[in-house]
Amino acid sequence: MNFVAQIIGVFAISLWVISIQNKSRDKILMFQFWSNILYMIEYAMLGAYSASVMNLTSSVRCLVFAKKDVSKSYLGVLLFSLIIILLGVFTYDGVLSLIPIFIALIYTISSWFKNVFWNRVFVIVSAFIWIYYNLRVCAYITIVGNVFEIISGIISLIRYRK
């Protein structure tokens, strides 16, 4: 089961890194949608249920925020933040389970921004935090992916700087 979870993590990583290299906010959100679906499955297989539920929530958020009218409203950010906190209460399993909740909140705020610069910055910061979490839940392949996220995020910041 752990081996299969690691393989799913490889595909999730690939989609996430591709998302960071896109210039279009809509394409970024669509790649992140599919990546979050795969991460949800990986974390569920590893017994990291808080991370699994947060990735499910994040995948839905990506679809909703891809809609132009929703992305202009504070209501979307507030609604998803509330959902994340409520689901976080139900999936709480010690201090470690707070990390995916915190990161889901960061991604919610960053994906709401129209300027993808901030999305990339938050992805880089979150990747550093995910490294610790993934080490603790034995998502070893995903740690390699987090390093690629950081590198890819820095490259995309340089590539698309204005």
Side-chain angles (χ1 to χ4, degrees), residues 61 65 77 81 104-113 119 122:
R61 183 207 64 235
F65 280 19
V77 173
S81 295
L105 288 169
I106 289 174
Y107 284 150
T108 298
I109 294 166
S110 72
S111 64
W112 175 72
F113 292 136
N119 184 271
F122 285 116

Side-chain angles (χ1 to χ4, degrees), residues 50 87-98 101:
S50 181
L87 290 173
V89 168
F90 290 113
T91 60
Y92 180 80
D93 188 29
V95 176
L96 187 64
S97 67
L98 293 175
I101 298 163

Side-chain angles (χ1 to χ4, degrees), residues 2 6 43 46-48 51 96 132-140:
N2 192 318
Q6 303 298 324
Y43 286 124
L46 293 172
L96 187 64
Y132 174 76
Y133 182 82
N134 288 325
L135 183 62
R136 296 292 305 271
V137 300
C138 302
Y140 300 119

Side-chain angles (χ1 to χ4, degrees), residues 23 117 120 154-162:
K23 192 172 186 177
F117 168 82
R120 291 183 178 104
I154 291 169
I155 290 170
S156 67
L157 284 174
I158 293 167
R159 190 171 155 205
Y160 296 117
R161 72 181 178 271
K162 291 185 179 181

Side-chain angles (χ1 to χ4, degrees), residues 1-98:
M1 187 75 99
N2 192 318
F3 177 75
V4 174
Q6 303 298 324
I7 297 301
I8 291 170
V10 169
F11 289 107
I13 291 162
S14 302
L15 292 174
W16 192 268
V17 169
I18 291 169
S19 81
I20 298 167
Q21 290 301 318
N22 275 280
K23 192 172 186 177
S24 158
R25 181 178 176 274
D26 291 338
K27 286 183 183 179
I28 290 170
L29 290 173
M30 285 313 297
F31 278 106
Q32 288 181 0
F33 165 78
W34 289 110
S35 178
N36 280 313
I37 293 292
L38 293 174
Y39 277 130
M40 174 195 67
I41 295 166
E42 175 194 22
Y43 286 124
M45 293 176 81
L46 293 172
Y49 299 112
S50 181
S52 182
V53 169
M54 291 304 120
N55 277 281
L56 173 61
T57 306
S58 294
S59 64
V60 173
R61 183 207 64 235
C62 287
L63 287 179
V64 170
F65 280 19
K67 304 295 180 196
K68 301 295 184 223
D69 54 335
V70 175
S71 67
K72 294 177 184 174
S73 167
Y74 288 105
L75 185 60
V77 173
L78 293 175
L79 179 64
F80 273 98
S81 295
L82 181 62
I83 291 169
I84 289 165
I85 292 167
L86 289 174
L87 290 173
V89 168
F90 290 113
T91 60
Y92 180 80
D93 188 29
V95 176
L96 187 64
S97 67
L98 293 175

